Amino acid sequence: MKVAKFGGSSVANATQLKKVGEIIKNDSSRKFIVVSAPGKRDKNDFKVTDVLINLGDAFVHDKPYLDYMEVIMQRFAEIIEELAISKKILYDIEETINSVLKWDESTEQKLDALKAIGEDSSAKILSEYLNTIGLKASYLSPKDAGIIVSDEPGNAQILPESYPKLFTLRDREEILVIPGFFGYTTTGKLMTFSRGGSDITGSIVAAGVKASLYENFTDVDSVYTVNPNIVTNPKEIKTLTYKEMRELSYAGFSVFHDEALIPAFKESIPVSIKNTNNPEVPGTLIVANKEDKEKCVVGIASDTGFSTLFVSKYLMNRELGFGRKLFEILERESVSFEHSPSGIDDLSVIIRDNQLNADKEEKILKQIKQELNPDTVRIHQNLAMIMIVGEGMMNTIGIAQKATTALTKANVNIKMINQGSSDVSMMFGIQSEDIDKAIQSLYDVFFEN
Amino acid sequence: MKVAKFGGSSVANATQLKKVGEIIKNDSSRKFIVVSAPGKRDKNDFKVTDVLINLGDAFVHDKPYLDYMEVIMQRFAEIIEELAISKKILYDIEETINSVLKWDESTEQKLDALKAIGEDSSAKILSEYLNTIGLKASYLSPKDAGIIVSDEPGNAQILPESYPKLFTLRDREEILVIPGFFGYTTTGKLMTFSRGGSDITGSIVAAGVKASLYENFTDVDSVYTVNPNIVTNPKEIKTLTYKEMRELSYAGFSVFHDEALIPAFKESIPVSIKNTNNPEVPGTLIVANKEDKEKCVVGIASDTGFSTLFVSKYLMNRELGFGRKLFEILERESVSFEHSPSGIDDLSVIIRDNQLNADKEEKILKQIKQELNPDTVRIHQNLAMIMIVGEGMMNTIGIAQKATTALTKANVNIKMINQGSSDVSMMFGIQSEDIDKAIQSLYDVFFEN
């Protein structure tokens, strides 16, 4: 019993939806289908959800919104016409939008309900279409599915009571098509997950029905060993563990939303990344545990946009609570940090640039000076992080040597190394401008030789 | 104007004290002399301070103490006789001990005063001896010198008002011989520094008189690039910066007490490590700033006896304050830590074994489980740390490569690397049993090739 989730590009138009129908038809164990809202058909296209947000925004600010309405309706009209399914769905969609706008609810609640219409409509269209190609399928609302969430518009969290309810769906005979991205509170209010939340729904359903596999259909063949924008035609990753995936997704691998994997992870359900446009390719399988740990490095991720806060004070390591006090200052300014490597008399904190601004930096520096009385405190910008990831790395002699040799060969100055805190990764910090040559050289050493 | 401090082995007997006299005579700028208590004359010998502590301990517990008294008096008698100086000093010493024992003071205060008699006697003997070899010298009590300290027996801290007072000593014409290891409170109570505190006195006097050089005479020719117990005849270090010295002293380089350098450091006074038995050798010079940064690695230190506390939790880096809460638990148990390298979902804390015991470990693990709800938490023992130290390392490409290559060549598994948090060092964690081969291989790569 499999759960298959189809992303925005897989439901962007009728051609894509026909591919989805074919995929579902080809494997009768694909019983639970989760869909996103129609995404971009090409680079310059729009996503339906973005237009829904614009519509809501215009409406609440008393601005003209009918143009947005028309764009949305036209997109769905095209899809419905090309799939040759009942026009009734189109009236349904229009009716839903209008009724939400007229709701006597909070603005927040209204906007959340509007945002969810893309996924909801995709699910209605797909289930109808599946029936026309000879499959027995039903649209299933998240409310009827039992996806019960916390009362946090735009950031709903799944509640544990959802799972037993979801498990009963195993008894249903037909294929169930469930819209992604939202659930309902115990009092029946619609709440969306954080953006990209269709992956979350898929993962929740997979966990709930205890699926044998959670298939995540996108528009790439697999997860690659390294960013294809940096290295041409990099090798594909066949199998990844959850832990490896998580380390990779941290720095530049954006296949998954971070939160998305948690429900599947907790139930140890394997996750498969596949391509709707190329479904024969095996793709990448993400599992809890991997047998074959021979190839100890599975991938190299990288990301720019980091800063370092550097603090130095003579005899710092004699000062009980120095680190705690520093982290307290950061917490007070709501700055979450990534790592904090420390020396004898020095402590660095790696922070994403989006956590900082000139004002916050000034406040943090001021408080550190006042409360910790350091010899030196400064913030460096323009740092890039590289994660070399693989289970079994820890027990293999020579990985650090291979990596540092590759970087030296590429004439890259290593600003930072953090190895050993994680079982499955090794981190390097370098100057942002060196990132391309660094990654190419590391790729050559770990995957080409 | 130089301050010269002579350690325990330099004043252990008359032969050594004659060498000290010779050294002082050879350079008329050696105006301020600080001395330790007589140390060991050979491996199986005793240190006078240890016997003074035993004496005090026996006395306060109403046990026989006259044997200790005799041992002490005999040591000083030998020295005084061989130096052919006035026996009056010997009576002075006995008189001092007896009067301290009879004092109407707290036990703590008495023991502190007893402990200081070794240094005090050394200073009296040396100043008397210097006069017999034609030098004009006076004994100067720390009280008269103006070494004013906090009221913390055995752990006194220098008070800032000492420095202007010390500065006036520059006007004295004769050589001043000051006992190390103790000072006086504002109310006139004698207080000792922490053990090894003669280095502290030397550093304080050097800072107070704004010496051009603080010479620290020991029984080694210099600071070595690596531990001579691991590598045979390692190269000497000619010049070190304070920062480098501090990083080296952290792990296995015990030339200096950590605190000792602070006063000299604050006044940027250069410190010279020299050998009383071989004073022609230039020794090692410790300076605030080094001109020549060509040789970017100056030394490799190592130490065993570390443990790692490892905590892992899915999505840890999203959890604001996770690190802080962990450090709070450690602080609550009075455990100070050395480093805390962290990954995406993992955090390690490096702790010296002397900070832990089975009971504390259990308490810490329990609190972490309860308060932080991690996926994994465990403590690893048997870790050794290696520090590769040198200013300018940060800006030299290939240092990490050289080091990891050396370790791989020696078949050493690198458990941990921490680079970049400090400007002047790179840290490696390995299994304790690999330490000898690791250090030998690193030495070969950085200093022999």
Side-chain angles (χ1 to χ4, degrees), chain B residues 287-304:
Chain B
V287 294
N289 293 298
K290 208 161 44 166
E291 285 291 306
D292 172 22
K293 285 183 184 172
E294 276 166 45
K295 256 212 160 176
C296 61
V297 171
V298 298
I300 302 167
S302 55
D303 208 356
T304 54

Side-chain angles (χ1 to χ4, degrees), chain A residues 11-277:
Chain A
V11 296
N13 60 25
T15 314
Q16 291 302 95
L17 280 161
K18 283 174 185 172
K19 290 179 190 167
V20 170
E22 208 50 36
I23 288 167
I24 297 170
K25 206 170 184 179
N26 280 341
D27 184 345
S28 62
S29 64
R30 288 175 177 136
K31 282 282 310 277
F32 302 93
I33 312 300
V34 174
V35 287
S36 293
K40 294 181 179 185
R41 289 159 295 188
D42 56 64
K43 273 192 181 172
N44 304 314
D45 200 16
F46 60 90
K47 293 179 177 181
V48 166
T49 305
D50 286 333
V51 187
L52 283 163
I53 290 170
N54 292 340
L55 189 162
D57 199 52
F59 181 81
V60 300
H61 290 95
D62 276 333
K63 289 184 181 158
Y65 63 88
L66 289 176
D67 281 1
Y68 295 120
M69 185 92 174
E70 202 185 310
V71 164
I72 294 162
M73 294 317 296
Q74 200 183 323
R75 170 74 88 91
F76 285 120
E78 269 174 35
I79 293 174
I80 287 165
E81 188 166 351
E82 247 185 274
L83 290 178
I85 56 171
S86 156
K87 287 237 167 55
K88 191 188 163 290
I89 295 175
L90 197 62
Y91 306 132
D92 263 13
I93 296 170
E94 194 166 8
E95 166 69 24
T96 309
I97 296 175
N98 281 321
S99 72
V100 168
L101 293 179
K102 275 181 225 141
W103 264 9
D104 188 22
E105 285 280 359
S106 71
T107 304
E108 223 176 8
Q109 178 65 74
K110 264 189 204 173
L111 292 178
D112 240 30
L114 268 182
K115 254 164 50 181
I117 287 171
E119 279 75 8
D120 199 54
S121 306
S122 279
K124 285 172 180 162
I125 291 168
L126 181 61
S127 67
E128 182 83 10
Y129 172 68
L130 291 178
N131 281 291
T132 68
I133 60 168
L135 296 169
K136 211 181 150 199
S138 300
Y139 158 84
L140 186 68
S141 136
K143 190 184 264 172
D144 297 329
I147 298 175
I148 308 157
V149 297
S150 63
D151 193 340
E152 297 170 80
N155 190 33
Q157 305 294 319
I158 188 76
L159 298 183
E161 56 257 46
S162 306
Y163 294 109
K165 183 106 197 268
L166 281 163
F167 190 72
T168 65
L169 298 178
R170 291 174 64 101
D171 300 332
R172 296 281 287 265
E173 292 231 323
E174 77 276 37
I175 294 165
L176 298 174
V177 185
I178 306 167
F181 191 36
F182 64 102
Y184 286 84
T185 64
T186 46
T187 60
K189 282 197 269 186
L190 186 156
M191 293 285 154
T192 62
F193 297 122
S194 53
R195 191 83 201 256
S198 288
D199 283 335
I200 303 177
T201 303
S203 177
I204 288 168
V205 173
V209 304
K210 297 203 191 297
S212 59
L213 182 66
Y214 169 34
E215 295 179 306
N216 198 294
F217 283 88
T218 64
D219 54 0
V220 293
D221 277 352
S222 69
V223 178
Y224 293 97
T225 47
V226 72
N227 187 342
N229 296 325
I230 299 180
V231 173
T232 322
N233 291 325
K235 292 191 173 147
E236 295 163 354
I237 301 179
K238 291 200 174 66
T239 313
L240 262 181
T241 63
Y242 289 123
K243 264 195 112 167
E244 289 169 341
M245 178 73 205
R246 167 87 176 123
E247 303 267 341
L248 287 171
S249 74
Y250 167 72
F253 274 63
S254 56
V255 181
F256 267 115
H257 206 252
D258 264 331
E259 289 173 57
L261 272 185
I262 302 176
F265 167 79
K266 284 190 178 155
E267 292 292 329
S268 294
I269 292 163
V271 179
S272 165
I273 309 279
K274 289 180 77 80
N275 190 349
T276 300
N277 306 311

Side-chain angles (χ1 to χ4, degrees), chain A residues 243 246-247 250 258-259 261-262 265 310 312 314-318 320-321 323-324 327-328 331 334-348 375 378 387 394-398 400-401 404-405 408 411-423, chain B residues 243 246-247 250 258-259 261-262 265 310 312 314-318 320-321 323-324 327-328 331 334-348 375 378 387 394-398 400-401 404-405 408 411-423:
Chain A
K243 264 195 112 167
R246 167 87 176 123
E247 303 267 341
Y250 167 72
D258 264 331
E259 289 173 57
L261 272 185
I262 302 176
F265 167 79
F310 175 82
S312 125
Y314 198 67
L315 293 179
M316 179 192 290
N317 76 336
R318 290 283 181 92
L320 216 58
R324 180 185 58 72
F327 300 139
E328 239 165 41
E331 205 178 344
S334 298
V335 168
S336 74
F337 64 94
E338 305 292 316
H339 312 271
S340 75
S342 62
I344 313 308
D345 289 340
D346 320 77
L347 190 70
S348 292
D375 297 331
R378 58 175 182 256
M387 301 289 292
M394 272 300 275
N395 302 313
T396 313
I397 290 176
Q401 191 231 342
T404 53
T405 302
T408 304
N411 203 33
V412 170
N413 191 9
I414 303 171
K415 299 298 236 183
M416 191 167 286
I417 308 176
N418 183 359
Q419 187 222 312
S421 48
S422 161
D423 287 4
Chain B
K243 265 196 112 168
R246 166 89 176 122
E247 303 270 339
Y250 167 73
D258 263 332
E259 289 173 59
L261 272 185
I262 301 177
F265 166 79
F310 176 82
S312 124
Y314 197 66
L315 292 179
M316 180 191 289
N317 77 335
R318 292 282 182 94
L320 217 57
R324 181 184 58 73
F327 299 139
E328 237 164 43
E331 205 178 344
S334 299
V335 169
S336 73
F337 64 95
E338 305 292 317
H339 311 271
S340 75
S342 62
I344 312 307
D345 290 341
D346 320 79
L347 190 70
S348 293
D375 298 332
R378 57 174 184 260
M387 299 291 292
M394 273 299 276
N395 302 313
T396 312
I397 291 176
Q401 190 230 344
T404 54
T405 302
T408 304
N411 204 34
V412 170
N413 192 9
I414 303 170
K415 299 297 236 184
M416 190 166 288
I417 308 177
N418 182 0
Q419 187 224 309
S421 48
S422 160
D423 286 6

Side-chain angles (χ1 to χ4, degrees), chain B residues 9-10 16 19 23 218-221 275-280:
Chain B
S9 65
S10 304
Q16 291 302 95
K19 290 180 191 169
I23 289 167
T218 64
D219 54 1
V220 292
D221 277 351
N275 190 349
T276 298
N277 306 312
N278 205 7
E280 297 77 31

